[in-house]
Amino acid sequence: MQTLQDRFGRRFSYLRLSVTEVCNFRCQYCLPDGFRGDKHGFLSVDEIRRLTRAFAELGTYKLRLTGGEPTVRRDFTDILSAVAETPGIRRIAMTTNAYRLARNAAVWKAAGLNAVNVSLDALEASSFRAITGDRRFDMVMAGIDQALAVGFDAVKINTVLLRELNDDQLPVFFEFVRERPVSLRFIELMQTGDNQAYFERHHVPGSKIRDRLTADGWKPVARGPAAGPAVEYAHPDYAGQIGLIAPYAKHFCDGCNRLRVTSRGALKLCLFGSGSTDLRPLLSQDDQTEALKSHIMSALFEKPPTHLLHQGQVGDTPHLASTGG
Ligand code: SAM
């Protein structure tokens, strides 16, 4: 079996695949005015199948579907079936705002979805609306309940920590995992091309959470080989866990194990890098797999050792919906 390895010895077993740039929410740090771009021309199910096959033959076994909002695609269940049928893919996760989760969790699980990350920046309706621009708080909460009821391998919550907007709510977020077997991960707000003023106003360093967790008796948990970027903490009094994704922390990129492909078929080596490699010309026919694999392997040679986010260099990502967050 071939493996994807870069110049620094990092191995890539995890692909984050964006299936659309379109999002129906208006999160203030991402798409405050809603999605305004071209709503057409995203990878087809057949292109996604060929892409997944090539990555799987290169040792990728974990796939995350993201966007934009991946579930706005009407053929989302077909996408899941296509990737689930790919030999070598053992774990399929998605990141979603959960607006369709309550109704579809069972169908998506049957199609092959193993794990769900739900984005949830507030635990009551009015702040949820202020941050996301959307009124469907109750549907999102019902989606989380339904995801737990159908028994995915993992249900995780992503919460972007925002000064003045939700950073005074830490005890409420901790309480959320007291009885629920979910991992709630605080994500440090990241600067992107479009959100500089918002970032300066609302960024909270991850160390604030880390200090609070340590003071309250939470202990770090060992990280699995295909784990994402979160450091997870457990506490004997809580059914769930708290995680921290702190991209501004030193050595964050040392353990990088993931690559990204955009919804238009561009391989991005780093969320905060510039440039990409167009894979789409090699996705139109089934007999292009070997050429596609060579193209991916040679592109990987250019992966830099680290992003330069801490120096304010955000690369060419205007917002995370464009690349797949
Ligand atoms: N629409 C889906 C959702 O809401 O989860 C998937 C795409 S969204 C871009 C993926 C994740 O990125 C969400 O958890 C979102 O909160 C997070 N995100 C977007 N922009 C961000 C930023 N500037 N800093 C930190 N997290 C961000």
Side-chain angles (χ1 to χ4, degrees):
M1 159 78 79
Q2 290 169 299
T3 53
L4 284 170
Q5 189 167 333
D6 72 359
R7 288 180 293 154
F8 309 100
R10 294 175 297 188
R11 290 177 172 223
F12 299 89
S13 51
Y14 177 5
L15 176 66
R16 293 192 175 199
L17 174 60
S18 174
V19 297
T20 180
E21 282 170 34
V22 177
C23 191
N24 54 343
F25 279 22
R26 285 179 283 127
C27 296
Q28 299 298 295
Y29 46 78
C30 189
L31 288 176
D33 301 318
F35 178 77
R36 296 277 175 92
D38 181 0
K39 292 190 173 174
H40 303 283
F42 303 119
L43 294 175
S44 68
V45 176
D46 282 338
E47 287 174 309
I48 289 171
R49 181 184 292 113
R50 294 181 189 116
L51 180 86
T52 307
R53 179 170 156 205
F55 271 94
E57 289 185 13
L58 290 170
T60 298
Y61 60 88
K62 177 171 171 184
L63 187 76
R64 173 173 302 283
L65 300 174
T66 181
E69 172 49 42
T71 69
V72 300
R73 278 194 61 157
R74 297 213 171 137
D75 56 0
F76 185 68
T77 309
D78 299 334
I79 293 173
L80 279 174
S81 304
V83 297
E85 281 162 10
T86 306
I89 297 297
R90 304 205 296 266
R91 187 170 170 84
I92 302 169
M94 75 160 165
T95 304
T96 179
N97 63 27
Y99 87 107
R100 285 182 67 200
L101 189 57
R103 197 180 305 167
N104 292 282
V107 175
W108 293 336
K109 182 167 186 281
L113 185 65
N114 305 115
V116 178
N117 286 20
V118 174
S119 302
L120 182 66
D121 297 339
L123 287 175
E124 54 79 33
S126 65
S127 1
F128 178 86
R129 188 172 161 204
I131 297 171
T132 64
D134 198 275
R135 295 170 186 270
R136 284 170 281 193
F137 175 73
D138 291 340
M139 277 172 81
V140 171
M141 297 304 282
I144 295 169
D145 288 342
Q146 187 60 17
L148 287 168
V150 304
F152 287 110
D153 296 347
V155 177
K156 297 180 182 174
I157 310 296
N158 288 350
T159 302
V160 181
L161 191 64
L162 301 164
R163 190 182 334 137
E164 294 168 4
L165 298 176
N166 66 10
D167 66 336
D168 59 340
Q169 297 292 306
L170 291 186
V172 185
F173 284 110
F174 290 0
E175 214 40 51
F176 185 80
V177 306
R178 189 181 285 278
E179 306 291 342
R180 290 182 182 87
V182 301
S183 166
L184 186 149
R185 296 106 51 81
F186 291 106
I187 308 179
E188 214 175 323
L189 178 65
M190 298 172 237
Q191 188 182 341
T192 60
D194 285 357
N195 76 0
Q196 189 178 348
Y198 191 92
F199 172 81
E200 281 164 13
R201 181 151 183 213
H202 296 293
H203 177 254
V204 182
S207 52
K208 176 172 171 174
I209 302 282
R210 197 177 305 118
D211 293 349
R212 176 68 190 263
L213 289 168
T214 308
D216 288 2
W218 293 79
K219 300 270 186 282
V221 190
R223 202 172 172 271
V231 178
E232 299 271 346
Y233 293 78
H235 191 294
D237 297 345
Y238 294 79
Q241 296 189 346
I242 298 287
L244 176 60
I245 301 179
Y248 289 87
K250 268 193 182 147
H251 306 301
F252 180 76
C253 303
D254 294 358
C256 185
N257 59 359
R258 53 206 171 273
L259 296 170
R260 294 168 193 271
V261 173
T262 71
S263 53
R264 299 184 195 275
L267 172 65
K268 286 268 308 176
L269 298 172
C270 173
L271 186 53
F272 297 102
S274 293
S276 58
T277 302
D278 188 9
L279 303 178
R280 204 152 195 189
L282 295 172
L283 295 176
S284 57
Q285 290 173 38
D286 289 342
D287 62 5
Q288 292 173 300
T289 310
E290 291 309 317
L292 180 57
K293 283 158 62 181
S294 303
H295 207 50
I296 295 167
M297 282 196 290
S298 50
L300 186 59
F301 198 68
E302 303 299 325
K303 185 169 166 77
T306 175
H307 63 60
L308 299 173
L309 206 49
H310 43 287
Q311 296 173 12
Q313 295 188 34
V314 298
D316 56 11
T317 298
H319 46 73
L320 264 51
S322 69
T323 319

